[in-house]
Amino acid sequence: MPAAKSKISRRPIKDTDLLRLNIPTSVSISPDETKVAWTAERIDEKENKYYTNIWIRDLRSGQTRRFTHGNWTDGKVSWSPDSSQFAFVSSREKKTGIWLMPVEGGAERKIIELEADLGDLHWTPDGKHLVFALRYKDSHFISDEKKKTEAPVYRHITRLFYRLDGYGFNPKDPFQIYTIEIETATLRKITSGKRDNHTPAVSPDGRMIVYISNRTKDPDIEALRDDLFLIPFKGGKERRIPTPAGPKELPKFSPDGKLIVYAGHDNPNDAWGVTNRHLWTVGVNGTPKAKDLLPRFDRFVMDQTIADLSDVHDTAYHAWSGDSKRIYFLSSDDGITNVYYVPRSGGKPTRIFKGECHIKSLSINGRGRTAAMIWADLNNPGEIATCPAEYGGEKKVTRLTDLNPILRSEIQLCRTRKLKFRSFDGTEVTGWLVTPPKFNPNRKYPSILEIHGGPRVQYGSTFFHEMQFLAASGFVVLYTNPRGGSGRGETWADAIAGGWGDLDYKD
């Protein structure tokens, strides 16, 4: 008689389980829409460091391959125009380099390695150059190798914004726009000056570069007064594109080369961060004039959901459709982050991926028929998925990965419920309640109330290791989005009064 199958017993989550999780941090679909690359981060307990490598899924064959290995930080994946290879940035041996990797086989190739910080990489349309922002570290200017490792005796601080959390002291060198010829590894500086010039994009014909710069007397004080500039790819005189004063992020040329889209607003005095950042377009030559495409959309055009397993938030992502008729973007609303598009002429946006979830990252490329994304929810810290870039895309979603099977096979997650309740004045507040294993509603439990800062972020329907671990330790955990946070409009973020903002979109 065969032995009876033993019932698998799953255990509560532990603090050390954090060391076993694989966290996707970025996603990028190829221009021919046949391959999806992503980066996955892991924690090395012995080294006490985070490491990130690159993986690729072939959407035609279904094959998944790991393309980079080792204890490195690989990221900023950028596909070549013909989808045959990708460039990426990697930090190795205390330097940062640009590397190339062929997709159909072959070894990775280092193009250049520098003591510098590098921004996102952008290919020229002919596939011969990369364009990016670069800022040399202070060590680059020290010729004596021994002195590079010595701690400074003192620091002469000359600016208000001199240090950044998670980075350290900012270098003295400002960001400038550079290009590198891939075949010869020839590095060429395109912009100059004492101000940061950053976030470049290349025009469809490869002749021009658009970028952002703050040219005020003191950008650290007047940080929200950015401008757009154009400069020839070959170098020369820059030209300012007239736009309203205000912050600007991620300029991108339309595929037809006529417009530039960027995320921002026209309230440069809003240092508190209440004003919605919308999508704006402006003609490459300043005509048509800069226009807010979403004047009635009372939300930010970015992911504002926070969690302990999300590297960044409050960063813009948007992409043109291949025919230049639509612009896709992320937006957060009452604890969720979904995907939308708006016509290039502006108006009411359409939600193309709907769900009680957190879309952490989005990539649309080429003709724009397929959207690749990092999808997370209350029980999942992130998986790579694709869907059609059209209304109702969530009904045709394809999940490409299974990055953390232990959360289903080994760990019994605590129950998390999204709830709504009334505040003292009747205003509805959204929160999440996490209960311990084998929770008994007739018992009393110690409780923890988690409160985030404001107004730039929101808690949401996304995996939170901290909340799960606290509940697994016997606490009832409540975390909420009170007034002063994001996701419910400018009035809510300004904490003036209760109620919902005017969210107008096709759903």
Side-chain angles (χ1 to χ4, degrees):
M1 183 175 180
K5 294 183 178 180
S6 60
K7 184 178 180 180
I8 298 176
S9 177
R10 293 191 289 172
R11 59 171 177 79
I13 197 168
K14 300 184 295 185
D15 54 351
T16 54
D17 287 325
L18 184 63
L19 304 174
R20 301 175 61 188
L21 297 179
N22 296 298
I23 310 302
T25 53
S26 69
V27 64
S28 180
I29 190 169
S30 61
D32 64 6
E33 300 180 283
T34 65
K35 302 175 186 67
V36 175
W38 69 89
T39 54
E41 183 179 73
R42 68 185 189 282
I43 301 172
D44 189 302
E45 182 179 13
K46 183 178 179 180
E47 298 292 333
N48 192 28
K49 290 182 179 180
Y50 294 88
Y51 295 118
T52 307
N53 296 125
I54 300 170
W55 301 69
I56 290 183
R57 172 69 166 253
D58 189 313
L59 299 181
R60 297 167 300 184
S61 67
Q63 182 183 25
T64 298
R65 295 172 58 192
R66 182 176 179 175
F67 266 73
T68 65
H69 300 76
N71 291 339
W72 317 116
T73 301
D74 303 324
K76 302 184 188 298
V77 175
S78 180
W79 287 94
S80 63
D82 63 2
S83 303
S84 67
Q85 58 184 332
F86 60 88
F88 64 97
V89 175
S90 184
S91 298
R92 308 182 183 188
E93 303 300 331
K94 298 182 179 180
K95 290 187 177 182
T96 301
I98 299 176
W99 297 69
L100 276 184
M101 175 72 81
V103 177
E104 299 301 333
E108 62 186 15
R109 175 168 70 91
K110 181 175 67 178
I111 302 177
I112 197 170
E113 203 166 39
L114 302 163
E115 293 176 282
D117 300 315
L118 300 177
D120 290 340
L121 307 176
H122 303 270
W123 291 77
T124 53
D126 60 10
K128 295 181 179 180
H129 298 82
L130 292 169
V131 176
F132 49 91
L134 182 154
R135 176 179 66 180
Y136 285 106
K137 296 181 179 180
D138 292 340
S139 58
H140 170 78
F141 302 99
I142 301 174
S143 57
D144 189 333
E145 293 296 325
K146 291 184 178 180
K147 290 185 178 181
K148 288 185 179 183
T149 60
E150 295 177 358
V153 178
Y154 69 94
R155 290 187 184 272
H156 183 198
I157 305 300
T158 60
R159 56 179 297 190
L160 185 65
F161 184 48
Y162 68 93
R163 192 172 184 173
L164 185 65
D165 288 346
Y167 178 87
F169 289 96
N170 286 326
K172 296 179 181 179
D173 189 49
F175 273 109
Q176 299 295 349
I177 310 302
Y178 286 77
T179 181
I180 191 167
E181 186 178 27
I182 293 173
E183 186 64 30
T184 64
T186 302
L187 186 68
R188 180 169 61 89
K189 188 177 182 181
I190 296 178
T191 63
S192 60
K194 297 181 179 180
R195 295 287 185 259
D196 285 323
N197 298 307
H198 58 93
T199 322
V202 185
S203 63
D205 61 9
R207 295 180 179 180
M208 302 297 293
I209 297 173
V210 64
Y211 57 95
I212 298 172
S213 188
N214 184 323
R215 303 293 175 83
T216 59
K217 184 176 180 180
D218 190 339
D220 291 350
I221 295 176
E222 299 185 273
L224 301 185
R225 294 183 180 272
D226 294 326
D227 281 308
L228 296 181
F229 291 87
L230 276 178
I231 195 169
F233 172 77
K234 294 181 178 180
K237 187 176 181 180
E238 67 179 12
R239 174 170 60 85
R240 178 182 170 273
I241 303 175
T243 56
K248 295 172 178 62
E249 295 182 59
L250 204 63
K252 288 188 175 183
F253 288 93
S254 58
D256 61 16
K258 296 179 180 180
L259 296 175
I260 294 171
V261 67
Y262 66 90
H265 61 66
D266 58 356
N267 185 8
N269 298 315
D270 178 26
W272 188 235
V274 170
T275 306
N276 290 319
R277 298 197 182 204
H278 284 168
L279 292 178
W280 292 66
T281 56
V282 62
V284 172
N285 296 316
T287 303
K289 295 181 179 180
K291 174 185 178 181
D292 182 355
L293 301 183
L294 297 158
R296 295 187 60 194
F297 189 66
D298 193 18
R299 298 292 186 271
F300 275 58
V301 291
M302 53 185 59
D303 172 27
Q304 295 185 287
T305 302
I306 60 171
D308 53 2
L309 297 182
S310 297
D311 277 356
V312 294
H313 60 80
D314 249 6
T315 56
Y317 173 83
H318 42 264
W320 289 91
S321 60
D323 58 9
S324 300
K325 294 181 178 181
R326 297 176 176 179
I327 306 166
Y328 297 89
F329 63 95
L330 296 175
S331 185
S332 295
D333 173 35
D334 192 31
I336 62 175
T337 299
N338 285 174
V339 185
Y340 302 75
Y341 75 78
V342 63
R344 69 180 281 164
S345 59
K348 184 180 295 188
T350 298
R351 181 156 57 173
I352 71 163
F353 191 95
K354 176 183 179 182
E356 193 65 40
C357 61
H358 176 199
I359 304 301
K360 293 184 172 184
S361 183
L362 175 70
S363 179
I364 295 175
N365 206 343
R367 294 178 62 183
R369 296 168 299 183
T370 302
M373 65 192 74
I374 299 177
W375 171 86
D377 65 10
L378 291 169
N379 298 315
N380 193 329
E383 299 290 351
I384 308 301
T386 60
C387 76
E390 60 188 30
Y391 179 71
E394 74 280 353
K395 299 175 183 177
K396 300 177 182 179
V397 65
T398 301
R399 178 171 162 174
L400 306 181
T401 58
D402 185 14
L403 298 179
N404 295 289
I406 66 167
L407 295 179
R408 299 188 319 277
S409 62
E410 184 178 334
I411 296 171
Q412 180 64 57
L413 293 176
C414 298
R415 183 187 179 190
T416 304
R417 288 175 287 169
K418 186 176 183 179
L419 49 84
K420 298 180 184 294
F421 57 92
R422 298 289 175 180
S423 183
F424 70 97
D425 60 355
T427 301
E428 187 177 72
V429 176
T430 302
W432 290 263
L433 186 72
V434 195
T435 50
K438 300 179 181 179
F439 174 71
N440 183 348
N442 297 318
R443 279 188 52 196
K444 290 185 177 181
Y445 292 82
S447 63
I448 295 176
L449 174 64
E450 292 267 6
I451 304 172
H452 71 73
R456 296 290 291 275
V457 295
Q458 64 168 11
Y459 284 138
S461 294
T462 191
F463 185 87
F464 227 123
H465 175 268
E466 175 189 349
M467 311 304 187
Q468 283 284 332
F469 172 64
L470 291 173
S473 301
F475 295 93
V476 171
V477 182
L478 176 65
Y479 51 108
T480 68
N481 285 328
R483 281 167 284 196
S486 297
R488 288 176 65 170
E490 290 185 3
T491 299
W492 185 267
D494 206 19
I496 294 174
W500 291 80
D502 179 19
L503 183 58
D504 187 18
Y505 62 91
K506 179 183 177 182
D507 194 7

